Amino acid sequence: MDDTPLERYVDGLFGGEDPLLRQMREDAAAEGVPSIQVPPDLGRLLQAMVVASRATRILEFGTLFGYSSILMARVLPPEGKIVTLEYSEKHAGIARRNFERAGVAEKVEVRVGKGVDLLPGLHGQQFDLVFIDADKASYPAYLQGALRLTRPGSVILADNVWRHGSILDAADEDSRGIVAFNQEVTHNPHLITTFVPRLSDKDAAALSVVR
Ligand code: SAH
Ligand code: DHB
Ligand code: MG
């Protein structure tokens, strides 16, 4: 294991993943779905932000097999809803099955397509929290969408904004997307932003609150 000592210590304090989420992770891996769900520390931050923002409406870019949606759904009030956008039909199908297994299917709606193509269909809705975690090249477009679909006090959280520093070296469109996103969240006067490094040291999330 290449866990950092802090990561091992904190994960030990929390006592590890619950059996259902572990099973979903193993099932997804067996079906060839990449294990790129939120790590435990980011999962807890997401849950904390859902509660702190008193969220009842959540938008997520990138469903995968539903891991982060389930974490958020578990701390939403009974009337709370999540709209989660996923490009892969396969991932969306596995996620819908997992929402049934987790007893949160009533709270989570999966829409299939490219995030940028699905944005116009959300026009007129307002979200208390937006979690950006799909294709990195589209992060700037997702942020523009998030800014239109939120209110003062809403939280915008974006995963993978550091990638071990590789975003600075690589000239691929994913890295360029993240670099542009990071510029915007740090310079947009409507956002208060901080970067939250992972306990694993490998990556960071950008946490923004709309002012
Ligand atoms: N939020 C999830 C992880 C998402 S991984 C969790 O923590 O559990 C990223 C997901 O984005 C993958 O499922 C991938 O298929 C999806 N994706 C990739 N390109 C996309 C696009 N253009 N629009 C929407 N989803 C996309
Ligand atoms: C990877 C990790 C992520 O959290 C993600 O959203 C996409 C890719 C990765 O480690 O490759
Ligand atoms: Mg991610």
Side-chain angles (χ1 to χ4, degrees):
M1 296 294 278
D2 57 358
D3 294 356
T4 62
L6 180 58
E7 189 178 18
R8 276 200 302 277
Y9 171 67
V10 174
D11 287 347
L13 283 175
F14 281 100
E17 199 177 31
D18 68 84
L20 180 64
L21 286 174
R22 174 189 295 256
Q23 190 63 51
M24 287 177 186
R25 206 162 41 70
E26 290 173 359
D27 293 349
E31 291 183 78
V33 177
S35 282
I36 53 171
Q37 70 286 339
V38 287
D41 53 347
L42 182 57
R44 288 187 293 268
L45 179 65
L46 264 179
Q47 292 188 316
M49 288 301 122
V50 170
V51 176
S53 68
R54 299 175 187 270
T56 60
R57 299 277 309 159
I58 295 174
L59 174 63
E60 176 176 70
F61 293 89
T63 314
L64 195 65
F65 59 91
Y67 195 95
S68 52
S69 311
I70 291 169
L71 289 175
M72 292 190 284
R74 283 178 171 175
V75 296
L76 267 180
E79 73 277 17
K81 299 277 185 221
I82 301 174
V83 177
T84 182
L85 312 181
E86 174 55 53
Y87 179 66
S88 158
E89 286 277 6
K90 175 182 169 181
H91 295 178
I94 294 171
R96 287 193 182 105
R97 191 190 69 207
N98 284 339
F99 298 145
E100 297 285 348
R101 291 166 82 184
V104 300
E106 301 277 276
K107 288 183 173 175
V108 192
E109 179 193 349
V110 188
R111 297 192 185 180
V112 180
K114 290 188 179 172
V116 285
D117 296 338
L118 295 169
L119 270 171
L122 298 168
H123 183 78
Q125 298 201 42
Q126 190 174 79
F127 295 94
D128 309 302
L129 187 146
V130 180
F131 180 41
I132 301 175
D133 195 20
D135 58 307
K136 313 309 168 196
S138 303
Y139 269 36
Y142 297 153
L143 179 60
Q144 290 311 310
L147 289 167
R148 282 194 297 275
L149 296 168
T150 49
R151 51 155 177 92
S154 291
V155 172
I156 301 171
L157 192 60
D159 192 21
N160 311 116
V161 297
W162 176 238
R163 313 304 300 274
H164 232 157
S166 66
I167 56 160
L168 303 178
D169 311 326
D172 59 286
E173 61 175 350
D174 285 344
S175 296
R176 281 202 303 272
I178 292 175
V179 167
F181 175 91
N182 289 345
Q183 280 290 329
E184 179 66 19
V185 285
T186 49
H187 289 80
N188 188 312
H190 299 294
L191 296 175
I192 306 287
T193 297
T194 190
F195 285 62
V196 184
R198 295 212 174 141
L199 295 175
S200 69
D201 284 355
K202 294 191 182 76
D203 214 329
L207 171 63
S208 304
V209 179
V210 181
R211 62 194 298 198

